[in-house]
Amino acid sequence: MASKRAPEGEASRGAGPALPAGQVGYSSAQGRWVLVATIAGSGLVFLDSSVVNVALPTIGREFNTGLASLQWTVNAYTLTLAGLLLLGGSLGDHFGRRRVFVFGIVWFAIASLICGLAPNAPALIGARALQGVGAALLTPGSLAIIEATFRPSDRAPAIGAWTGLGGVATAFGPLLGGLLTQAVSWRLVFFINLPLTAVALWAAIRHVPESLDEGEPRLDLAGSALAALGLAGVTYALTEGPDVGWTSSIVLLSAVGGVAAMVAFVAVERFSSHPLLPLDLFRSRQFTAANVVTFVIYGALGGALFLLPIQLQRVVGLSPLASGVALTPITIVMLLLSARAGRLAQRIGPRLPMTVGPLVCAVGLGMLELVRPGTSYWTSTLPAVVVFALGLSLTVAPLTSTVLASASEQHAGVASAVNNTVARAAGLLAVAILPVAAGISGTGSLAPAVFSAGFHSATRIAAVLTAAGGVLAFLTIREPDAEGAARAPDPATCCPLSAPRLASGRAPVAGASPRDGS
């Protein structure tokens, strides 16, 4: 994808950037401000991916809501983010990456303010859906701006700084969420976004040059709408079915409509001259297999990490702060080991790490059986989350590298976006399905004894699914050829766990290596 500077005056209105896109140096003052803008912007999404789960039990008590409302507090955000992520990247290519990034920041800030002021659960859920829209606009823009702005020789260190500092935000998210919830109010979990948006907005307007796709791509609005409607229909049916009945007309209509929208999405993409998702990508067995493994593993991860803070607070009796601290080792271990695991996979190939990693994750999930009332954190929760984190560290960087190496350079951007969307959709569906499958549904499901029994059933299911992902990787993943290995990203620049990937519907800018976050 070739980038060009916006027309004169468009990229530098006001004080304006000193250099146009593609010419900014990593060590320059403008380069540092570009990193401030993109890291602060993507940090918003990182924080909201981790801080809210810790606050869920407190939100449920204050609003006197059941599990379904807590599920929607998470899923409303993930639903709009996953459904609109590809469109967000395309909008940036079409209208200007800085412009869409700035618009996403403002949108996200307003939605965060509404979340913090929400008087009840329905209002909070609606505001969370609006937050997801803002995240879908700014998430692809943060990395795309780096790719388009820096000189080709400076992109790798810029991406490394972006991923590393983004990982730090993720690592401290649960701790921050627990501290704010316990010391003041869960509402600060959302208000904390406002100073970050102010910094990102100022730096973006002042220092980030505008860049566009030289081809001025057409927007696949039909495909975007069908993808969002399909996810929404299926998620609504799975979340509300246990409470209102699986044979309820609204549940059946949502399920059928969601499936029909997904089928229509595939048909539209198949015959579109400008598809949001080129289906030719799935002709690669390696690409398809890696995304199936992603779906299984991230589904188990999303479901387990949704239920674990509730178990720790409502059943074990930990405070919000203590439960946030309990989850922090997961990201810390990944920060320390993910790059090393990626380099190991470069030497020996991705198949073995992608097989062993999920099996280790499964052991960690199985060890959550020990998380019960009266047990010590040091002998129950900590060993489980550390083992789980070790497995993820082995899995994530090789998985991302495999996805990118299995696609051509032309499709590196969209391949990365597809993998990101698959991961988020898996978490979305897991939060809806896993509690039902484990018997956590309906009135009284948050009662400590009922929830604890369901939690342990859910972790067993998640462990089996994760182990199945490892077996699937062993059976389907093949070692890349030399050309594919050369296209794989440097694992040192891979962002651990939840960093957004380049979500443009097109390849990275000319001269850019197809690196992304994992």
Side-chain angles (χ1 to χ4, degrees):
M1 176 179 66
S3 284
K4 64 179 181 180
R5 190 181 179 184
E8 191 64 33
E10 187 70 28
S12 54
R13 191 169 292 154
L19 291 172
Q23 299 181 19
V24 177
Y26 173 73
S27 59
S28 67
Q30 184 182 357
R32 289 192 290 270
W33 279 114
V34 170
L35 286 175
V36 167
T38 54
I39 291 168
S42 58
L44 297 169
V45 182
F46 296 162
L47 283 174
D48 268 63
S49 298
S50 54
V51 299
V52 175
N53 280 9
V54 178
L56 287 177
T58 303
I59 293 172
R61 282 194 298 270
E62 180 167 324
F63 287 151
N64 193 27
T65 61
L67 183 67
S69 291
L70 300 185
Q71 288 173 288
W72 276 115
T73 301
V74 173
N75 276 350
Y77 175 81
T78 310
L79 177 62
T80 50
L81 173 55
L84 300 175
L85 195 60
L86 288 168
L87 177 62
S90 294
L91 288 171
D93 291 341
H94 189 83
F95 294 110
R97 298 180 184 93
R98 186 188 71 164
R99 176 179 292 153
V100 173
F101 181 72
V102 166
F103 187 77
I105 291 171
V106 174
W107 186 300
F108 195 93
I110 294 172
S112 297
L113 179 63
I114 298 172
C115 285
L117 297 174
N120 51 47
L124 176 60
I125 291 167
R128 286 283 284 165
L130 291 176
Q131 255 194 326
V133 175
L137 295 174
L138 69 87
T139 295
S142 61
L143 186 54
I145 284 171
I146 291 177
E147 291 276 10
T149 300
F150 286 95
R151 292 192 295 253
S153 60
D154 287 331
R155 285 170 189 156
I159 293 172
W162 177 82
T163 55
L165 292 174
V168 171
T170 305
F172 286 99
L175 177 61
L176 180 63
L179 178 62
L180 294 176
T181 300
Q182 182 173 325
V184 186
S185 168
W186 62 265
R187 297 178 185 274
L188 261 69
V189 167
F190 299 106
F191 290 148
I192 195 67
N193 292 331
L194 299 182
L196 277 174
T197 57
V199 171
L201 186 62
W202 180 86
I205 292 174
R206 178 80 177 178
H207 295 284
V208 175
E210 185 61 281
S211 61
L212 300 168
D213 190 324
E214 202 166 48
E216 297 185 355
R218 295 171 61 189
L219 297 176
D220 184 8
L221 297 178
S224 300
L226 288 170
L229 288 173
L231 281 173
V234 172
T235 303
Y236 181 87
L238 292 172
T239 303
E240 297 297 323
D243 287 334
V244 303
W246 294 107
T247 57
S248 165
S249 58
I250 186 65
V251 170
L252 291 175
L253 182 63
S254 297
V256 173
V259 172
M262 290 183 175
V263 173
F265 170 75
V266 173
V268 167
E269 299 307 285
R270 172 66 179 83
F271 296 105
S272 174
S273 60
H274 53 283
L276 191 68
L277 173 60
L279 298 181
D280 287 349
L281 281 171
F282 293 96
R283 292 180 180 175
S284 165
R285 175 181 173 182
Q286 188 91 326
F287 179 81
T288 302
N291 278 287
V292 172
V293 173
T294 297
F295 186 85
V296 173
I297 292 174
Y298 276 82
L301 168 67
L305 292 186
F306 167 71
L307 296 172
L308 181 56
I310 304 175
Q311 173 77 1
L312 292 174
Q313 293 182 48
R314 294 190 71 97
V315 178
V316 178
L318 296 185
S319 66
L321 177 57
S323 66
V325 173
L327 299 177
T328 303
I330 295 177
T331 311
I332 291 177
V333 170
M334 295 194 65
L335 280 172
L336 295 174
L337 299 182
S338 287
R340 292 178 175 86
R343 293 187 183 98
L344 174 66
Q346 280 189 328
R347 290 197 301 270
I348 67 174
R351 186 184 185 192
L352 184 59
M354 287 177 61
T355 300
V356 175
L359 295 177
V360 176
C361 284
V363 173
L365 288 169
M367 291 171 64
L368 291 175
E369 185 77 26
L370 301 174
V371 180
R372 297 177 180 274
T375 57
S376 166
Y377 166 76
W378 302 103
T379 59
S380 58
T381 308
L382 180 62
V385 298
V386 169
V387 172
F388 182 64
L390 290 172
L392 282 177
S393 298
L394 278 173
T395 306
V396 170
L399 180 57
T400 302
S401 297
T402 300
V403 168
L404 289 182
S406 63
S408 65
E409 290 188 15
Q410 177 187 1
H411 290 127
V414 71
S416 180
V418 168
N419 191 241
N420 188 21
T421 303
V422 166
R424 295 186 185 277
L428 173 73
L429 295 176
V431 170
I433 296 172
L434 190 58
V436 177
I440 312 174
S441 61
T443 304
S445 59
L446 290 177
V450 176
F451 187 87
S452 185
F455 170 78
H456 291 117
S457 296
T459 55
R460 294 183 204 115
I461 295 170
V464 171
L465 286 174
T466 308
V471 174
L472 184 63
F474 178 78
L475 295 175
T476 59
I477 297 299
R478 296 292 177 263
E479 308 302 350
D481 56 24
E483 180 183 356
R487 289 200 308 270
D490 181 354
T493 66
C494 284
C495 179
L497 191 57
S498 59
R501 298 155 173 92
L502 179 59
S504 168
R506 289 149 190 90
V509 295
S513 58
R515 294 180 173 89
D516 77 358
S518 125

